[in-house]
Each structure stands twice: as structure tokens, then as C-alpha cells.
Amino acid sequence: MRLSVIGCGYLGAVHAAAMASIGHEVVGIDVDPRKIESLSRGEAPFFEPDLQELLTAGVASGRLRFTTDMAAASGSSVHFIGVGTPQQKDGYAADLTYVNAAVDALLPYLRPGDIVAGKSTVPVGTAAELAPRIEATGATLVWNPEFLREGWAVQDTIDPDRLVVGVSSRSFLARSTTGDEAHAADILREVYHPAVAKGTPFIVTDWATAELVKVAANAFLATKISFINAMAEIAEVTGADVTQLADAIGHDARIGRRFLGAGIGFGGGCLPKDIRAFSARAEELGRGESVTFLREVDAINLRRRERAVQLVVDALGGQVFEKKVTVLGAAFKPYSDDIRDSPALDVAVRLRGLGASITVTDPAAIDNARRLHPQLDYVEDRDEAIRGADAIVLVTEWDEYRRELTPEHASTLTSGRVVVDGRNGWDAAAWRAAGWTYYGMGRP
Ligand code: UGA
């Protein structure tokens, strides 16, 4: 099939490359010429495991190309919208500028029978608002939310755990899914043929449900993380160990252990802004009280960053002024170079604000971090970064730190023997046995 993907960021670039890898002819379109130049050369403009290989193969095969020219969308039968929906500068709501601009730019190139598939995370009701403009061209709008995790984006795109397609609410509710909407759902089945063939759940629903599935999923994940972090706060005043607590409750299949990792909390370009946008949308709908808890989820999350900073201060005897602190990690999570709303960088910046001499290291995110926070010192090599440190702080659980950095090895490099484990990623007993003072999050 011929597909266009509008927006070539973390979502769109991966989607375009993944769709080419399963046999489609794909054009990726973005307004950023730098991104397009890099992608056209077959070079990933950001770090994402397996993306580079897919891009190289896709561009070489001739099935994958990139351009800034929207006219290249004409002739594609499905047009995916994968542009960003960041938090508004002066509020909690999502900024839909890019979605609207993408749709407006695409309109002249739509033909009757085309499908526009929205993938961006949008406030419920957005599809219904966009639809009249799109339908006026004879094209059909579906909402096809994306659930990929950064770091696993390629795998999640090619082999997702579910596919959701929202079609026009009117026809869906009237059960008349024999017309354009049934056709649109079938076309999407064809797009995702390998996943459909292996029996991946394929849920056809209305626009509003599809939009809500996405934000509800992220709200649930954020709530799960903040729940365990709230337990960490209680553990901290009772001497309990939140990691054992999580293991124990996680054995209950109804609860499950995943996303019960207590630490400095969630960040990134999705969870934080999605829960805020959801709150804002609920307010607009007169149902703010239904999701008031999301404010608390947000507040718990932000408190954990402060807690990590406090632990470092306490560990260094009550003040960090001119103390050398090495921060292991800058990305909001491992296997990503994304620093959007990164708790790791937030901790680094706050410590620096208290007068500490901060060295940040990260296997992938240093360039991005330096652009945003040039005031911090960055050292690429892990061992060089921790040499002479009074304390080391684990904030992004890359294998290089969590698995490969042993307390014995660290002892040969640092001047102090203090670790603050912001991700509860290390074996506390092993560090203590090697003579370190170990502080975890919600652990004695
Ligand atoms: C999240 C969702 O997991 C995806 O399903 C969704 O598609 C995506 O947002 C999106 O909306 O695009 P992502 O932001 O890539 O994916 O990252 P997650 O793996 O969800 O991690 C988010 C944050 O939570 C990270 O900062 C991570 O360190 C933190 N986290 C995760 C915890 O603090 N504890 C945990 O137990 C798990």
C-alpha cells in the first residue's frame, strides 16, 4: 500500500520506517528540513534501538522516502497524522496547533476514498472537530492511537499488543459499519497485516472511545507509578521497603508487578503532559472531578524528584555546596535519548541550584541535555564522570550503570562512598557490603 506519515518525530519516523519494513511504500513528511535531510540519508535523527537498521534498509529499498513537501502525500491511500501535541505554554491543555496545521496542509491532496488516520494523542472530541474538513474532500477519518514505548518503539509498532481504530461515531453507533467506516477498518487491517495475521486484538470503536483509550491507558500507567511512589513515601517514615512491597503485591495477578518501580517517577513527552491534558479536557467537559486524582498523581510524581535531591543533601551531611556529585543518566528512561520532562535532569538541575558541582553522564542523551541545560558539566565516559565524586546518583537505569557498575569498581574511582539510587536499581546489600552508604527511594 502507499502510505504517508505526517510528522517524523519519535512517533512518525518510527511508524514510517516500520511500515516500510512490512512491505508498504511510505513517504514521511515533516516541516523540519534538518530532520528530513537526516532521515533521507537513512540516518535516525534520534536514538531508538533498531530504528537505524530499519531506516537504512527502507531507504535503500526505495520504499521509504522523506520530504518537507506535503504534495508528496498525494497518491497515498492512508495518511497517518503523527505530529506532536505538547502541553500548552500557559496551561495544562494540549496544544493542537501542529495537528490542525498538518490537517490543513494535507487537505488539498486528499482524494475521495483516502483515509486519514490520526495517531497523535489528542483530547477526546478532536476527531469530531477535524472530521468536517476532512470529509468534505471525500476522505474518511479514523483515530488509530499509538501505544509505543520509547526504547521499544520499533517492536511496539510492528508487533503491538492491541490495535484500536475509531471510526465516525455516527455510523458506529448506528451499527451501519458496512459503508466507508467498515472499509476504513479493513484498510487499516491491511496496513497492519503481520500483526492482524498473528491474531493481535483489533478493536473497532468510535472516535471518542479510541481517543480516550489512549489517554486512559497513559493515565492508568501514571497512576500505577504514583501509587507505588506514594507507598514509598509511607515506607520512608515506617522503615518498610517499597521494593519488597511491590514484589509482594505484584504477585497478585490482578495487580501485576510491571510499572510498580518506585523511584524518581515518570517523565518524558507523554505521561506527564497526557495526564495534565486529560485533566484540562475533563474540566472543559464539566467532569473535572472525575479525574481530580490525576492532579495528585502529578503531585506525588514531582515530590519524588525533590525527595531524591533531599537524600543527596542528607547523605552529604546537610549541604551539597561545592560537593562533587555525579548524576548517572539524563534521559527520562533508558534506551532513549529523550530528555523531555526528564526526572533525571530535573534532579541534576536542582542539585546544581543548591551549589553542588554536577557532572552528568548518559550513553545517549548528552547532546540533547547540553542544548537544554548548558550550565551542567557533561562527561561521556562513565568512569571519567564518576572519578573523584563525593556521591553518585542513579537516575536513569541504563545497563551501563544498573547492571555493569559494581560497587567494587566504583570504589576505585570516587573519593566518597555515597550512592543515592533514584531508581531502586541496585542491590543495596552489595553496595553496603562494599563499604558504601546506600540510599534508595522508599527503602530503609
Ligand atoms: C508511555 C507509555 O508507556 C506508552 O504506552 C505510550 O504509547 C507512550 O507513553 C506515549 O504516549 O507515546 P514512554 O513515555 O515511552 O511510554 O515511557 P514509559 O515506559 O511508559 O515510561 C515513562 C516514565 O515512567 C519513565 O520516566 C520511566 O522511568 C517511568 N517509570 C516507568 C517509573 O518511574 N516506574 C515504572 O515502574 C515504570
Side-chain angles (χ1 to χ4, degrees):
M1 297 174 75
R2 289 183 65 183
L3 313 175
S4 74
V5 179
I6 296 142
C8 294
Y10 285 97
L11 160 59
V14 173
H15 193 68
M19 292 300 105
S21 82
I22 60 171
H24 300 301
E25 195 178 310
V26 186
V27 58
I29 304 171
D30 198 289
V31 293
D32 180 349
R34 276 210 349 231
K35 210 180 278 174
I36 291 299
E37 272 165 35
S38 156
L39 287 163
S40 298
R41 287 194 304 269
E43 285 167 21
F46 51 85
F47 176 85
E48 180 62 46
D50 303 329
L51 175 61
Q52 186 54 58
E53 290 76 7
L54 246 55
L55 276 176
T56 308
V59 170
S61 73
R63 280 201 311 276
L64 178 62
R65 65 199 173 91
F66 294 93
T67 176
T68 52
D69 184 5
M70 189 62 91
S74 74
S76 293
S77 46
V78 183
H79 310 271
F80 290 99
I81 309 280
V83 295
T85 52
Q87 186 177 330
Q88 282 180 6
K89 288 197 172 53
D90 53 358
Y92 268 15
D95 178 354
L96 294 179
T97 310
Y98 305 111
V99 171
N100 280 308
V103 167
D104 287 339
L106 178 63
L107 289 177
Y109 305 104
L110 291 176
R111 298 168 312 180
D114 280 6
I115 291 164
V116 175
K119 292 200 84 62
S120 305
T121 302
V122 292
V124 57
T126 303
E129 248 168 60
L130 296 172
R133 281 185 274 166
I134 291 165
E135 287 173 349
T137 69
T140 303
L141 175 65
V142 300
W143 216 263
N144 171 220
E146 181 56 60
F147 305 105
L148 66 80
R149 299 158 297 168
E150 286 177 29
W152 306 91
V154 168
Q155 182 194 314
D156 287 351
T157 304
I158 296 174
D159 187 15
D161 49 19
R162 78 289 209 189
L163 288 154
V164 175
V165 177
V167 299
S168 159
S169 316
R170 295 183 301 279
S171 47
F172 181 74
L173 293 175
R175 296 279 182 270
S176 64
T177 43
T178 49
D180 289 351
E181 280 70 32
H183 174 67
D186 283 343
I187 298 279
L188 270 274
R189 280 192 184 89
E190 221 176 304
V191 168
Y192 297 113
H193 60 99
V196 171
K198 70 176 273 206
T200 303
F202 191 97
I203 297 146
V204 181
T205 183
D206 54 277
W207 286 329
T209 306
E211 291 164 327
L212 272 174
V213 166
K214 170 68 194 199
V215 286
N218 276 2
F220 191 85
L221 293 171
T223 303
K224 208 171 170 190
I225 297 168
S226 277
F227 175 82
I228 202 66
N229 277 329
M231 296 306 107
E233 292 185 332
I234 304 297
E236 276 152 13
V237 291
T238 52
D241 184 330
V242 76
T243 59
Q244 286 190 327
L245 169 80
D247 290 343
I249 63 173
H251 283 302
D252 184 333
R254 295 170 302 175
I255 296 172
R257 179 64 171 84
R258 296 176 72 189
F259 272 67
L260 286 183
I264 57 169
F266 59 82
C270 303
L271 262 42
K273 67 110 175 146
D274 286 354
I275 59 169
R276 292 172 195 152
F278 196 8
S279 297
R281 185 67 183 132
E283 292 283 350
E284 285 167 14
L285 294 166
R287 286 288 182 278
E289 74 271 25
S290 304
V291 293
T292 313
F293 67 94
L294 290 179
R295 305 271 167 154
E296 210 47 58
V297 165
D298 203 2
I300 293 166
N301 191 52
L302 296 175
R303 281 206 297 271
R304 299 315 285 164
R305 302 173 182 193
E306 193 52 53
R307 168 70 185 171
V309 170
Q310 195 54 49
L311 278 178
V312 178
V313 172
D314 293 348
L316 289 174
Q319 57 105 358
V320 291
F321 188 71
E322 289 185 346
K323 295 275 171 55
K324 186 170 172 355
V325 179
T326 300
V327 174
L328 298 176
F332 84 106
K333 67 179 217 180
Y335 318 111
S336 171
D337 65 355
D338 196 346
I339 54 151
R340 288 176 292 173
D341 205 344
S342 168
L345 270 181
D346 198 7
V347 167
V349 167
R350 287 174 197 232
L351 283 167
R352 155 115 189 168
L354 295 176
S357 156
I358 297 292
T359 303
V360 178
T361 186
D362 190 287
I366 286 186
D367 289 347
N368 286 341
R370 189 183 279 119
R371 266 193 293 276
L372 190 67
H373 296 296
Q375 76 278 23
L376 300 174
D377 279 335
Y378 297 94
V379 173
E380 230 159 275
D381 183 77
R382 182 200 68 192
D383 286 0
E384 279 315 305
I386 61 179
R387 194 180 295 283
D390 296 308
I392 50 184
V393 190
L394 176 65
V395 279
T396 313
E397 65 276 38
W398 289 95
D399 287 345
E400 285 87 332
Y401 314 141
R402 193 172 73 94
R403 289 180 200 282
E404 292 160 22
L405 180 63
T406 63
E408 292 74 22
H409 181 64
S411 302
T412 65
L413 298 164
T414 56
S415 51
R417 293 286 179 276
V418 171
V419 275
V420 174
D421 184 355
R423 292 294 185 179
N424 288 338
W426 278 323
D427 178 354
W431 284 85
R432 287 186 180 127
W436 287 73
T437 308
Y438 171 97
Y439 296 83
M441 304 285 293
R443 308 175 88 177

